[in-house]
Amino acid sequence: MARQKELENLESDYVEEASQGDAGTETAMSDEWASVPQAAESMSETDFVEADFETDAAEDHDAVASTESGAAVEGDVEEAFTGTESADATSGTSTDELEMVAGPNGILIDETRESLLESVGDNQVLDAWYADLGDPAIGALLQQPETAEAVAEVVIGKDDRVRVNNTTAYPWRAICSLRITARDGSRWIGSGFLVGNRTVITAGHVVYMHSRGGWVRKIEVIPGRNGSSKPFGSCDATAFHSVKGWTQKKKRSHDYAAIILPKNCALGKRVGFFGYANYSFFTLLNMLVNLAGYPGDKPAGTMWWHARRLKWITSRTLVYNIDTAGGQSGAPVWRKKGSQRYAVGIHTNGSSGGNSATRITKPVFNNIKKWKALGA
Amino acid sequence: MASISGRVLDVDGYPVAEATVLITESSEPHVDIAQVTDPDGRFSLRDLAPGDYRIEAHLPGGERAEIHVGLTYESDEVSHDLRA
């Protein structure tokens, strides 16, 4: 009970700290969260208008009203939309939390492994969460013998990913394969997910590559891709948005971005889009989350899914043992709650010590909301 | 930061375009993005922290190649081909 009280106090401290950072528009921290548009030299006149609007709006971190009951406890929530596409509006589900892909979902959640990690204890979880964080703190945590042993047991194992064949069903069709052409001409693959009619959320390093000339030249966005099939077509995008914490400081905790599709390419209207949520530490703790994207170690353009419980929650990242591979950067990490889907993180990093996502915190939530408005 | 570059080659030693190259195991966290080889089969993974890496190439025909590379210093620029 005393431990619970301590946890509650720590959570309150965290909330206050975040609020101060949000309000202080003159501080370096708030600057890092300010959204920045694509480089001016490669932008159209329309993009300049968007950039001005975005810079002003980035300073607004007021709380966002939720449409979900109980939001005062859980945080800010933006609802999903299943799209106007009629066929397979929703996929079948076996539980309120897991997506149904193939076979009994229970097989995919190995409770034996889960219990092993639970033995690590909440002291270590809090150490990681409370240290302000990102990968160095997680790295330090993983160096502790007990933790390292548990993680190795989980990560070194068989590939549990399951191929998504019915990519025209929601929510799969709101997940996008990305074909990226960097500023230096090199080509890459990544993932993203729609959160609005023309707004695709992805990792910051997908749209801004520091060692490749900065903003990428072009991204082909393909929702619901299934191998060589593009069931909803594709769009070439050249308007990108991220935050200064990524483009100027390359902070792992600020690795997130948006792709704004051209005005004649409102893919989200047809295929639908994800909701997203800024949940508290306690809501996220032990949450069962789904992750699907387009890994490069599988047949080209195929979508793969996996789900597990979150293992660590830091102030700005989520860590999990969901199997991923290069190409899944930008994939949604989402909570299924009944028939609703809420992204809680943006997958960014792989590591033998646990894969991780940028957590949708309050500033991230607010920027996604602004970017969604840009692509309305 | 260190880098690993090279070419993806088929079983006969010819360069392979459109192969995906990615890190599948490492002692250091890495961004989960994959590169597509150019017409000469070339790839270059940059911004890597010193550590041990397993790099895989997945060829359009389904073949696979892998190498293990150790990067000692931040200035390391290792060149290594991946042959199916």
Side-chain angles (χ1 to χ4, degrees), chain A residues 89-294:
Chain A
T90 55
S91 59
T93 55
S94 61
T95 75
D96 279 346
E97 295 177 291
L98 275 179
E99 301 292 351
M100 169 68 89
V101 178
N105 283 321
I107 289 174
L108 299 167
I109 307 300
D110 186 336
E111 293 298 338
T112 304
R113 295 177 182 181
E114 299 287 339
S115 344
L116 183 61
L117 270 173
E118 279 164 13
S119 69
V120 168
D122 59 5
N123 277 332
Q124 290 162 333
V125 172
L126 279 173
D127 285 344
W129 166 57
Y130 208 55
D132 187 18
L133 316 191
D135 288 325
I138 295 167
L141 173 69
L142 295 173
Q143 286 170 10
Q144 298 176 48
E146 187 182 9
T147 316
E149 184 182 348
V151 169
E153 182 72 19
V154 170
V155 173
I156 303 170
K158 68 185 176 69
D159 182 356
D160 288 321
R161 286 172 294 177
V162 177
R163 181 173 175 178
V164 178
N165 289 304
N166 189 15
T167 62
T168 57
Y170 183 87
W172 314 116
R173 64 193 187 201
I175 298 170
C176 306
S177 163
L178 306 181
R179 303 210 308 189
I180 306 143
T181 304
R183 183 64 49 186
D184 67 355
S186 60
R187 292 181 303 131
W188 305 79
I189 59 170
S191 302
F193 58 103
L194 284 150
V195 295
N197 290 341
R198 294 188 295 118
T199 303
V200 177
I201 297 300
T202 187
H205 65 259
V206 165
V207 307
Y208 193 97
M209 299 181 176
H210 293 87
S211 64
R212 301 284 176 179
W215 296 107
V216 301
R217 193 180 295 167
K218 179 184 79 168
I219 297 180
E220 182 186 7
V221 177
I222 314 166
R225 182 181 178 189
N226 193 2
S228 58
S229 169
K230 302 176 183 177
F232 306 103
S234 71
C235 298
D236 284 345
T238 56
F240 312 115
H241 298 260
S242 188
V243 290
K244 289 179 181 175
W246 177 252
T247 62
Q248 296 181 13
K249 300 188 177 179
K250 205 178 174 183
K251 297 180 79 169
R252 183 262 170 275
S253 55
H254 292 60
D255 188 358
Y256 69 103
I259 301 166
I260 307 299
L261 300 173
K263 288 188 171 153
N264 63 353
C265 192
L267 289 169
K269 209 175 267 186
R270 184 177 173 199
V271 306
F273 45 78
F274 278 80
Y276 49 96
N278 159 38
Y279 285 134
S280 72
F281 172 80
F282 287 107
T283 302
L284 289 167
L285 194 61
N286 213 32
M287 180 182 282
L288 183 58
V289 292
N290 301 270
L291 191 158
Y294 289 90

Side-chain angles (χ1 to χ4, degrees), chain A residues 187 189 212 296 324 329 347 352, chain B residues 18 20 26 32 34 36 44 46:
Chain A
R187 292 181 303 131
I189 59 170
R212 301 284 176 179
T324 66
S329 272
H347 178 71
S352 299
Chain B
E18 302 294 325
T20 56
S26 73
D32 231 350
V36 180
S44 173
R46 301 173 185 167

Side-chain angles (χ1 to χ4, degrees), chain A residues 14 18-19 22 33 60-65 75-76 256 277-279 315 359-368:
Chain A
Y14 164 68
S19 299
D22 293 346
W33 291 108
D60 181 5
H61 290 308
D62 289 347
V64 178
D76 305 305
Y256 69 103
N278 159 38
Y279 285 134
S315 65
R359 177 180 168 185
I360 298 184
T361 56
K362 178 76 168 173
V364 177
F365 179 94
N366 288 345
N367 277 328
I368 292 175

Side-chain angles (χ1 to χ4, degrees), chain B residues 31-68:
Chain B
V31 293
D32 231 350
I33 195 166
Q35 188 170 18
V36 180
T37 54
D38 70 9
D40 297 322
R42 295 189 184 282
F43 70 91
S44 173
L45 304 175
R46 301 173 185 167
D47 273 347
L48 302 176
D52 296 321
Y53 293 86
R54 182 172 76 189
I55 312 291
E56 283 186 12
H58 292 261
L59 285 61
E63 303 94 333
R64 178 178 160 279
E66 74 171 55
I67 52 171
H68 290 78

Side-chain angles (χ1 to χ4, degrees), chain A residues 11-67:
Chain A
E11 174 70 3
S12 298
D13 291 344
Y14 164 68
V15 171
E16 285 173 15
E17 185 181 342
S19 299
Q20 287 166 4
D22 293 346
T25 55
E26 299 296 321
T27 65
M29 176 61 78
S30 67
D31 196 42
E32 289 165 8
W33 291 108
S35 62
V36 294
Q38 185 183 1
E41 60 271 21
S42 60
M43 293 168 65
S44 68
E45 191 175 336
T46 304
D47 287 328
F48 274 110
V49 174
E50 289 180 346
D52 289 339
F53 164 72
E54 186 178 57
T55 301
D56 291 340
E59 295 171 3
D60 181 5
H61 290 308
D62 289 347
V64 178
S66 168
T67 56

